[in-house]
Amino acid sequence: MAKIGRNQPCPCGSGQKYKKCCALKVEKTPIGMRIMIAVVAVFLISGLMVFLTNIDDHDPSASPGPGLVWSEEHGHWH
């Protein structure tokens, strides 16, 4: 079967060019895959936010927040 060019008439019989009709349906990512990508992105972004907000918890030379003291036993600020 020959490949259909973008500017050729669509084989479905709509009378439109292939790029305006069925090519859009073929090129779209399925909804399940889009949802999965969005969920993974949310988890990655939230993990990055947690990492960045806790980056100074294990550094005794970092300035502590108000009311916090360094615990040698646990290795982080309390």
Side-chain angles (χ1 to χ4, degrees), residues 3-77:
K3 185 175 178 180
I4 302 167
R6 287 176 38 87
N7 290 318
Q8 292 179 335
C10 191
C12 73
S14 66
Q16 294 181 340
K17 290 182 179 182
Y18 179 70
K19 68 181 178 183
K20 297 279 185 177
C21 188
C22 290
L24 297 175
K25 297 174 190 171
V26 171
E27 294 173 0
K28 284 189 177 179
T29 306
I31 189 74
M33 182 64 74
R34 285 193 229 166
I35 291 171
M36 183 61 74
I37 291 170
V39 168
V40 169
V42 167
F43 278 114
L44 288 175
I45 290 171
S46 62
L48 180 63
M49 289 174 56
V50 167
F51 173 75
L52 291 176
T53 56
N54 293 328
I55 202 162
D56 289 334
D57 283 353
H58 301 287
D59 184 10
S61 65
S63 60
L68 295 178
V69 294
W70 180 256
S71 170
E72 289 293 332
E73 180 182 354
H74 299 127
H76 61 116
W77 294 100

